[in-house]
């Protein structure tokens, strides 16, 4: 049961990361060491349906909770506490780097060729960061009217940000000027339920259209090029962190007070600590479950 709730928490972080500008749900899944396992569980669901359902259910519950909560809170959070939120999530990512490197090496020693993969991933993701940072309208409040086809495109982009680590869903939607209107389909659903249910269904179609081929492709790549893929993902992770630093540097260009700086550091440290202890706890619980010392969640 402890493992179940730990995975709900992990899903919550991933769902929130899909909404927070500058972050990616996929990169948070990578940083917590559950990215490949999740891809395998989804694409190979019917090979072991009970086991995969048990793995995916808490992640799905947490993901929906994180997504919904941050949909409702994002405007007020980013109006008043943008840097605080980003510092906390950056800490979560950085705290998981040692575990991520262990997963990438898979028992082998570090190879010099890994730097090529790291540089490739960094260059790819940082290019996306710069495009998001310097092009389009970078304001969260920017909005344009949403059509069914545009809603389907938004749904596909949301899934792209989860499946492809480093692709910030929120940056793309903000630059398309549809971020706020897409959020309002769900946060203000009952203001116009007839219209919003159509937009929500088209968003779901977009998610399904993107997810199936992308998940299959990612699974094959991870299986065939495990080490190379993980070091490309590590480069993407580093670029995401650099993008967050750029974003918050611009947001705080006028300077911060000493008290604000201390708060940022404390939140950053809390994120690192939370990531470390959550990763350690999940691994211990998984070992207990495999050994049969703790009953599996049914």
């Amino acid at each position: 049961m402890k493992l179940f709730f730990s995975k709900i928490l992990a899903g919550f972080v991933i769902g929130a990361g899909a909404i927070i500008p500058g972050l990616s749900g996929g990169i948070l899944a990578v940083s917590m060491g559950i990215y490949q396992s999740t891809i395998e569980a989804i694409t190979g669901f019917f090979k072991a349906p009970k086991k995969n359902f048990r793995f995916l259910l808490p992640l799905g519950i947490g993901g929906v909770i994180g997504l919904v909560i941050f949909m409702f809170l994002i405007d007020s959070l980013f109006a008043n506490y943008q840097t605080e939120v980003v510092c906390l999530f950056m800490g979560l990512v950085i705290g998981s780097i040692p575990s991520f490197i262990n997963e990438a090496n898979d028992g082998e020693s570090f190879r010099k060729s890994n730097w090529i993969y790291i540089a490739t991933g960094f260059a790819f993701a940082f290019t996306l960061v710069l495009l998001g940072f310097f092009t389009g309208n970078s304001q969260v409040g920017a909005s344009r009217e949403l059509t069914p086809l545009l809603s389907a495109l938004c749904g596909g982009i949301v899934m792209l940000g989860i499946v492809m680590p480093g692709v910030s869903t929120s940056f793309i939607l903000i630059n398309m000027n549809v971020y706020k209107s897409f959020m309002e389909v769900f946060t203000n659903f009952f203001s116009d339920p007839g219209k919003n249910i159509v937009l929500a269904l088209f968003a779901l179609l977009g998610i399904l259209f993107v997810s199936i081929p992308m998940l299959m492709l990612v699974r094959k790549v991870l299986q065939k090029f495990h080490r190379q893929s993980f070091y490309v993902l590590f480069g993407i992770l580093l670029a995401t962190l650099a993008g967050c630093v750029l974003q918050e540097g611009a947001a705080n260009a006028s300077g911060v007070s000493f008290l604000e700086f201390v708060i940022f550091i404390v939140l950053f440290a809390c994120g690192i600590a939370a990531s470390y202890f959550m990763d350690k706890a999940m691994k211990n619980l998984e070992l207990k479950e495999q050994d049969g010392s703790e009953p599996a969640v049914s």
Side-chain angles (χ1 to χ4, degrees):
M1 186 58 72
K2 290 180 181 178
L3 180 58
F4 187 84
F5 286 110
S6 295
K7 286 180 179 176
I8 287 179
L9 180 59
F12 178 88
V13 171
I14 294 168
I19 295 298
I20 296 174
L23 289 172
S24 151
I27 205 64
L28 288 167
V30 168
S31 70
M32 289 186 289
I34 58 174
Y35 178 73
Q36 186 172 7
S37 299
T38 304
I39 298 293
E40 294 284 349
I42 295 172
T43 55
F45 183 84
F46 293 106
K47 293 181 179 179
K50 186 176 180 180
K51 177 184 175 183
N52 289 329
F53 178 77
R54 196 170 61 215
F55 178 84
L56 293 171
L57 179 62
L59 290 177
I61 292 172
V64 170
I65 293 172
L67 199 67
V68 170
I69 287 177
F70 273 79
M71 274 184 178
F72 282 95
L73 295 180
I74 194 67
D75 282 341
S76 59
L77 277 176
F78 264 67
N80 302 301
Y81 306 107
Q82 172 176 324
T83 304
E84 288 86 344
V85 172
V86 172
C87 282
L88 179 62
F89 275 80
M90 284 179 65
L92 285 170
V93 173
I94 288 178
S96 63
I97 285 178
S99 176
F100 178 86
I101 294 296
N102 287 335
E103 173 69 17
N105 287 333
D106 197 21
E108 298 181 0
S109 58
F110 186 87
R111 301 183 188 180
K112 291 182 179 179
S113 60
N114 292 339
W115 289 111
I116 298 173
Y117 305 120
I118 294 172
T120 301
F122 186 91
F124 166 75
F126 199 66
T127 299
L128 294 179
V129 167
L130 293 178
L131 286 173
F133 192 75
F134 292 113
T135 65
N137 193 324
S138 61
Q139 299 301 312
V140 171
S143 181
R144 64 191 271 193
E145 185 178 356
L146 206 63
T147 64
L149 288 178
L150 195 54
S151 183
L153 179 60
C154 290
I157 290 170
V158 168
M159 180 52 64
L160 189 67
I162 295 173
V163 177
M164 293 293 293
V167 177
S168 174
T169 293
S170 49
F171 266 161
I172 296 173
L173 296 183
I174 288 169
N175 285 307
M176 291 169 60
N177 297 332
V178 294
Y179 184 85
K180 187 174 182 180
S181 55
F182 184 67
M183 296 298 107
E184 287 176 347
V185 170
F186 306 95
T187 59
N188 294 331
F189 185 84
F190 293 105
S191 63
D192 190 353
K195 177 183 177 183
N196 287 333
I197 195 169
V198 172
L199 293 174
L201 287 173
F202 270 85
L204 179 60
L205 286 174
I207 289 172
L208 293 174
F209 182 78
V210 169
S211 63
I212 295 172
M214 287 300 300
L215 286 168
M216 297 302 294
L217 175 62
V218 168
R219 182 191 182 193
K220 287 185 178 297
V221 171
L222 287 173
Q223 287 178 338
K224 192 170 183 178
F225 305 103
H226 177 88
R227 178 180 58 85
Q228 297 90 333
S229 299
F230 266 82
Y231 275 105
V232 168
L233 291 174
F234 183 60
I236 292 173
L237 186 150
L238 294 177
T240 301
L241 293 172
C244 286
V245 172
L246 272 178
Q247 173 184 283
E248 298 316 308
N252 295 283
S254 58
V256 297
S257 68
F258 178 75
L259 178 60
E260 287 175 324
F261 181 75
V262 170
I263 291 172
F264 298 159
I265 294 297
V266 169
L267 287 169
F268 181 72
C270 286
I272 292 175
S275 178
Y276 173 78
F277 286 113
M278 187 166 68
D279 177 69
K280 189 174 181 179
M282 284 182 68
K283 285 180 178 176
N284 288 336
L285 289 166
E286 284 172 348
L287 287 173
K288 287 180 181 179
E289 187 177 86
Q290 289 169 6
D291 293 339
S293 56
E294 180 170 321
V297 178
S298 58

